[in-house]
Amino acid sequence: RKTTLAAWLRCLCLVDLSAKVRQSNCLGGLQRLSAEAGGEIASHSGVGTTNYSSNSQCYWQLDVPPGKRVIVWFTYMDLESPNDRVTLYDGLTTSSEIAVVSATDSVGYESPKFVSSANILTVNFYSNSQYVRKGFRLEYKATVSANSSACGPVTFDDASNSSGMIVSHPGYDQHSLYSASMSCSWTLPSVSGKFYQLYVGNVSLGNGDCLSVYQGTASVTGGSSNVNLCGWKAVTGMALQVDGNFIIRFSSNGAYESTGFQIKFELVNYCPDNRNLTNSTGEVVSHSGVGEYYYWNNAQCVWYITAPPGQQVWFWFSYFNLGYNDYVSARNMGESSSTISTLSRGYSPSPSGFQSATRAVSVTFTTNSRDSGLGFRLHYNFTQLYCYGFENVTATKTGSQIRSHYGVGSRYYLNNMSCYWHIRVPVGQRIAFRFTYFNTRTNDRVTVFDGSNGSAVLLSTSGSFNGAIISSANTATVWFNTDSVNRGYGFAVWLQEIDNTANNTCGTISYANSSNVSGVIESHKGYNATSMSAYAPNLACLWTLPKRPGFYIYLFIETYGIGMGDCLKMVTKFFSTAICQGTELLTNDTGELASHSSAGIMGFLINSDCYWVIRVSPSKRVVARFTFFNITSRYESVTLYDGAYGSTVLATLSSSFSDTTRDFITTENVLTFKDDMLCKFTSVCEKYKLITGGSGEISSHQDAGALPYISGVSCKWQFVGKPGIQISANLIYLNLTSNYDSIAFYKGSDDITLVTIRGGASTWPKKFVTLSNILTVVFITGNVAGNNTNGLGFRLQYSVGDSVEPATTSSKQTSSSTARAVVSSPSSPATTKIVSDTSFAPESTTTGKLSQ
């Protein structure tokens, strides 16, 4: 039913504010305001800071002289959901709504400019009895209808026609109205190698009016997706990228108009303008709008990044999204021109990045005519080039360090390096070297001379090294040279000045307290791991720890360093811990028992088998709860009996048990515990072992084939023979259960994989023969939470010599096969092949072609 505002006047107080008023708040009832000079309506006096009142019902009648129209727009909006709202009516009646603005429009609301069809517009604010918010603010003023239905012009900034503006209608000023029933379209000329950057701003469309920017499918052509804005719509600012085939369309119907739009445009090169980069840090982007707009097809952009002499370029990608067959290529520039990397669709950015071999890099971005992508963002900085020439270093009492290159441990060093460091300390002192990191390839060597270059050699090694050496006098030289093939992560060595005198007295056993159950063994008197005091030559020491009934001894190496030709130098801490023995009777009504005295801190003993019998007062029952439970092997368990041993089993708990809230309750006054710890500890393989001759056997751990290996192990064996010597290996036993566990065979150091065998494999090579003089074997076990089913490991027989078959041991291995590693001479292009000798390992699973 139509209702006029006259009906409201019969029951509401009319407030006539037809005089000029800047702000009118909700006072209840109807307020009549003159919009001729403009003003503001607000839900309450504290808009944006305090909440408006509940149960509000306010009307504002905005009047302008006949022949003019009222225009309003919101400058702030925060209403409670879902019922509070502001309604705009066309005229005096409440049946002709222009728009309803509610809480759904509050967040990030961009208000269009609403216009009445005649000289009166009515505003209604309603809030219910529930929650309230910060309110709204609305501005109003008078306007007039458009006097022309013409479309807006295209204006250029200068004669180059490379930038300019398009507006919705003549006389556009963000306040004047466009006409009803308009139909406009605009295009701009296409320019090869360039696109248009559009800045669409101050958009305000009336009900049913539409603005669109169309250029086809952006993911194919590049640029922005198509845009279509319709209805009461406002956009403060929006940037678009379009090619020369785009079209802008605008239409208005005969309902309500608004103030239109403006579109600034600018021609931009497909490739960014700044492509010669010499700043120490910077950024390369495929195009403007990376990650938001699609780059352009059929483009090729090249950037040149040049560092000062003596420096290199380090670069990485923080964003990478390319289309089909588009790619980014980076090359070293200069005499050593070579490809650093070529990246295409599917590459995942990595913070490790890339490094140049020269001081200048070219980055080329090439796109085809097919699918586009969102581009890439590349960051770079300049770093000091790797060591070069000769450098003097002074070692101090507090220590200093030298490194092979910038980024040791995370970035590769360069090929064909030759670097010297001459180290000096005061006369009468000596120099201690402790390598804290070491990773080089087979033919890249670190040599330490006892004095100047060419003096006696203290150390000459490659691959890996972990130890300490000491000069005989106050000078030493470190030489690092690399070949032209493979690269490693380099080395870091700690240098320290030490006293010339060395202690020739063996270290003692120092007990921590009078119980003599823990302590420290030191290699020599005056040992100090920080100051690196030296032990004397020709030192021979022996330490013996006494046996104690009911205890075992647990040793671990805290610090280890050994000189060339010395057998052992170590610091060992030891703890002894009481173990359970036989059967123990507990008769208190409350108490605690443990598997061993250091439960929760140290491991229990191998092969322990213990009983605890708990007997409480007659007529009582036993309630037991575990406060700590940690066993890891599938061969270990704890059994609870309801009574004496052999009675009904309450529970048998294994490594999967973890519920420390569970109660175990007997039916009588006796509870018996039995633990069965078959194997908690077994010795593990060494982290690195070098084998230079002879024949023998290696294994994953001491009890391979009988007891499971442990998790989190990484061990490497490197077999090195004289040039021309063959190395043969026979995998006589293999049992890996997890896909995270593996044994890998490498030609040379660890740069060319011959074969990797993982847990769960049904076939694998068994015999290996390499024509190279170096074979590397790596054994890794995963550290996966909840993995309690480790396998029994491996056993491998080897022979470093002319014989191609090591001694064999009878072993039943039904799912194995034989393989042969054939490695060609380094002087010609090489391939490596694992050739199956039996049908158990088809060529498709055991043959690999690898470039040397």
Side-chain angles (χ1 to χ4, degrees):
R1 184 171 63 89
K2 292 185 178 181
T3 304
T4 65
L5 289 179
W8 284 94
L9 298 179
R10 288 193 287 269
C11 59
L12 296 176
C13 176
L14 173 64
V15 180
D16 188 354
L17 297 174
S18 57
K20 181 178 178 181
V21 174
R22 179 56 193 159
Q23 177 173 315
S24 175
N25 302 323
C26 177
L27 302 176
L30 172 69
Q31 302 177 56
R32 195 172 74 191
L33 307 172
S34 172
E36 178 73 12
E40 186 177 80
I41 290 171
S43 56
H44 61 298
S45 60
V47 172
T49 57
T50 62
N51 293 335
Y52 54 76
S53 301
S54 58
N55 298 312
S56 295
Q57 179 74 279
C58 296
Y59 286 86
W60 294 266
Q61 177 185 315
L62 305 177
D63 300 328
V64 293
K68 293 188 177 183
R69 300 164 69 178
V70 182
I71 182 170
V72 300
W73 63 97
F74 291 93
T75 58
Y76 183 85
M77 175 63 63
D78 181 22
L79 301 181
E80 182 270 331
S81 178
N83 297 308
D84 298 354
R85 61 187 178 270
V86 177
T87 306
L88 307 179
Y89 297 104
D90 190 14
L92 291 173
T93 67
T94 57
S95 60
S96 180
E97 291 181 355
I98 298 175
V100 178
V101 181
S102 63
T104 57
D105 301 303
S106 293
V107 179
Y109 179 61
E110 292 185 275
S111 172
K113 292 179 178 176
F114 303 96
V115 185
S116 65
S117 64
N119 66 322
I120 297 176
L121 186 147
T122 302
V123 180
N124 169 232
F125 171 50
Y126 166 81
S127 67
N128 65 5
S129 60
Q130 297 179 353
Y131 304 107
V132 291
R133 300 288 296 173
K134 304 298 182 186
F136 74 91
R137 187 180 292 112
L138 178 145
E139 292 196 15
Y140 58 86
K141 65 181 299 183
T143 188
V144 295
S145 299
N147 57 15
S148 172
S149 61
C151 298
V154 177
T155 57
F156 292 97
D157 293 335
D158 52 45
S160 69
N161 293 350
S162 60
S163 63
M165 182 181 293
I166 299 171
V167 294
S168 55
H169 59 285
Y172 169 84
D173 60 0
Q174 301 185 38
H175 299 291
S176 64
L177 303 181
Y178 55 77
S179 175
S181 304
M182 295 178 66
S183 180
C184 305
S185 63
W186 298 268
T187 60
L188 292 171
S190 178
V191 180
S192 178
K194 295 179 181 288
F195 66 93
Y196 284 99
Q197 180 81 53
L198 304 182
Y199 302 94
V200 183
N202 301 313
V203 178
S204 180
L205 302 179
N207 189 29
D209 303 341
C210 292
L211 169 66
S212 66
V213 181
Y214 179 81
Q215 66 157 350
T217 305
S219 61
V220 175
T221 62
S224 309
S225 298
N226 298 322
V227 172
N228 191 37
L229 307 174
C230 288
W232 286 119
K233 188 70 176 179
V235 176
T236 302
M238 176 172 56
L240 303 175
Q241 293 182 355
V242 294
D243 65 8
N245 297 313
F246 77 100
I247 184 169
I248 300 173
R249 291 189 176 94
F250 171 58
S251 63
S252 65
N253 60 16
Y256 296 99
E257 310 93 272
S258 192
T259 57
F261 58 86
Q262 65 180 16
I263 300 176
K264 295 181 180 181
F265 61 85
E266 179 183 8
L267 267 176
V268 181
N269 291 322
Y270 280 173
C271 303
D273 292 333
N274 183 18
R275 300 198 296 277
N276 289 291
L277 307 171
T278 57
N279 291 333
S280 59
T281 62
E283 181 180 79
V284 172
V285 294
S286 55
H287 64 297
S288 60
V290 171
E292 182 178 1
Y293 308 126
Y294 290 90
Y295 56 75
W296 302 100
N297 288 335
N298 301 313
Q300 185 174 68
C301 307
V302 183
W303 296 264
Y304 300 97
I305 308 172
T306 306
Q311 296 190 35
Q312 65 167 161
V313 181
W314 173 254
F315 62 95
W316 66 99
F317 293 87
S318 62
Y319 183 85
F320 197 91
N321 180 277
L322 299 191
Y324 183 75
N325 279 348
D326 300 338
Y327 62 90
V328 177
S329 177
R331 290 182 59 83
N332 293 304
M333 297 174 61
E335 295 181 0
S336 302
S337 178
S338 59
T339 299
I340 301 172
S341 63
T342 299
L343 308 175
S344 57
R345 184 175 186 174
Y347 169 72
S348 297
S350 168
S352 59
F354 305 90
Q355 59 191 4
S356 67
T358 60
R359 72 183 186 96
V361 171
S362 66
V363 178
T364 303
F365 177 43
T366 304
T367 71
N368 65 6
S369 60
R370 295 189 57 183
D371 296 342
S372 181
L374 296 175
F376 67 85
R377 189 179 300 277
L378 176 152
H379 307 267
Y380 75 88
N381 58 44
F382 298 157
T383 62
Q384 187 67 36
L385 266 173
Y386 297 82
C387 65
Y388 58 95
F390 189 93
E391 185 176 353
N392 289 306
V393 179
T394 300
T396 64
K397 286 282 189 181
T398 56
S400 57
Q401 190 178 70
I402 60 176
R403 294 169 173 258
S404 58
H405 66 292
Y406 178 83
V408 169
S410 61
R411 305 176 181 177
Y412 289 119
Y413 52 74
L414 296 180
N415 297 120
N416 302 314
M417 296 170 64
S418 182
C419 310
Y420 291 88
W421 295 267
H422 185 66
I423 301 102
R424 181 181 297 274
V425 294
V427 175
Q429 299 292 84
R430 300 164 71 186
I431 305 166
F433 299 79
R434 184 172 66 222
F435 285 86
T436 57
Y437 183 85
F438 202 104
N439 178 275
T440 65
R441 295 307 186 191
T442 303
N443 295 322
D444 303 336
R445 301 195 69 80
V446 176
T447 305
V448 182
F449 298 98
D450 193 12
S452 61
N453 181 20
S455 304
V457 174
L458 293 173
L459 173 71
S460 181
T461 187
S462 62
S464 61
F465 178 76
N466 182 17
I469 54 176
I470 299 174
S471 67
S472 62
N474 70 313
T475 62
T477 302
V478 177
W479 177 39
F480 179 45
N481 66 303
T482 69
D483 66 11
S484 60
V485 187
N486 300 303
R487 297 178 294 169
Y489 292 106
F491 69 86
V493 58
W494 184 255
L495 310 174
Q496 199 159 359
E497 173 194 341
I498 64 172
D499 294 334
N500 188 36
T501 56
N503 199 294
N504 59 2
T505 303
C506 293
T508 60
I509 301 174
S510 302
Y511 291 98
N513 50 49
S514 59
S515 65
N516 292 353
V517 296
S518 65
V520 176
I521 300 174
E522 295 178 340
S523 57
H524 59 287
K525 187 175 180 180
Y527 169 82
N528 188 304
T530 303
S531 63
M532 297 175 65
S533 63
Y535 57 85
N538 304 314
L539 193 64
C541 305
L542 174 68
W543 298 272
T544 302
L545 297 173
K547 294 182 178 180
R548 297 185 61 181
F551 287 79
Y552 70 93
I553 296 174
Y554 181 74
L555 303 173
F556 67 91
I557 299 173
E558 183 181 69
T559 306
Y560 182 87
I562 188 168
M564 290 186 67
D566 299 338
C567 293
L568 179 66
K569 171 181 173 286
M570 68 177 181
V571 175
T572 304
K573 285 188 176 180
F574 65 89
F575 297 89
S576 57
T577 182
I579 60 173
C580 62
Q581 300 181 71
T583 302
E584 184 176 356
L585 177 63
L586 306 172
T587 57
N588 291 331
D589 281 1
T590 60
E592 181 181 79
L593 62 87
S595 55
H596 58 298
S597 62
S598 302
I601 302 174
M602 297 173 55
F604 44 77
L605 190 62
I606 299 172
N607 298 329
S608 62
D609 190 6
C610 304
Y611 296 85
W612 293 266
V613 179
I614 302 171
R615 181 177 291 113
V616 297
S617 303
S619 75
K620 291 184 178 181
R621 296 191 293 171
V622 182
V623 179
R625 176 186 295 181
F626 289 91
T627 57
F628 178 82
F629 193 97
N630 178 261
I631 60 177
T632 59
S633 172
R634 55 183 170 179
Y635 300 102
E636 302 161 358
S637 64
V638 176
T639 304
L640 286 72
Y641 295 94
D642 188 8
Y645 175 69
S647 304
T648 303
V649 174
L650 283 177
T652 298
L653 309 177
S654 60
S655 57
S656 61
F657 176 73
S658 61
D659 187 0
T660 55
T661 63
R662 179 180 172 184
D663 290 330
F664 299 91
I665 305 173
T666 63
T667 60
E668 50 184 89
N669 69 322
V670 176
L671 173 65
T672 300
F673 281 79
K674 177 182 184 297
D675 77 358
D676 186 6
M677 311 303 180
L678 177 61
C679 177
K680 174 64 177 179
F681 295 114
T682 181
S683 65
V684 298
C685 51
E686 299 179 45
K687 185 176 182 181
Y688 174 78
K689 185 172 184 180
L690 176 66
I691 300 172
T692 58
S695 60
E697 181 177 306
I698 63 172
S699 61
S700 54
H701 58 297
Q702 178 179 343
D703 302 295
L707 297 174
Y709 49 77
I710 66 173
S711 300
V713 169
S714 178
C715 303
K716 179 192 290 188
W717 297 264
Q718 197 164 73
F719 304 91
V720 180
K722 296 179 180 179
I725 291 297
Q726 295 176 310
I727 300 173
S728 58
N730 185 6
L731 194 57
I732 62 173
Y733 180 83
L734 180 67
N735 180 260
L736 309 180
T737 56
S738 170
N739 187 53
Y740 295 98
D741 306 339
S742 64
I743 179 172
F745 296 82
Y746 298 90
K747 171 203 166 182
S749 180
D750 57 358
D751 47 357
I752 298 181
T753 306
L754 298 178
V755 67
T756 298
I757 308 169
R758 298 189 180 277
S762 58
T763 61
W764 56 82
K766 183 178 179 182
K767 295 183 179 180
F768 302 85
V769 179
T770 177
L771 300 184
S772 168
N773 68 323
I774 299 176
L775 175 67
T776 301
V777 179
V778 177
F779 175 56
I780 296 174
T781 68
N783 194 7
V784 182
N787 180 23
N788 300 309
T789 57
N790 286 339
L792 301 179
F794 75 87
R795 294 170 57 201
L796 179 78
Q797 292 182 339
Y798 66 86
S799 177
V800 181
D802 296 328
S803 172
V804 298
E805 294 289 338
T808 58
T809 299
S810 176
S811 177
K812 232 172 185 185
Q813 239 6 49
T814 59
S815 61
S816 64
S817 58
T818 303
R820 184 184 179 115
V822 182
V823 182
S824 70
S825 168
S827 63
S828 60
T831 60
T832 300
K833 206 173 194 181
I834 305 298
V835 183
S836 173
D837 285 352
T838 74
S839 59
F840 289 106
E843 184 169 296
S844 62
T845 59
T846 60
T847 300
K849 188 174 182 181
L850 304 166
S851 298
Q852 181 165 324

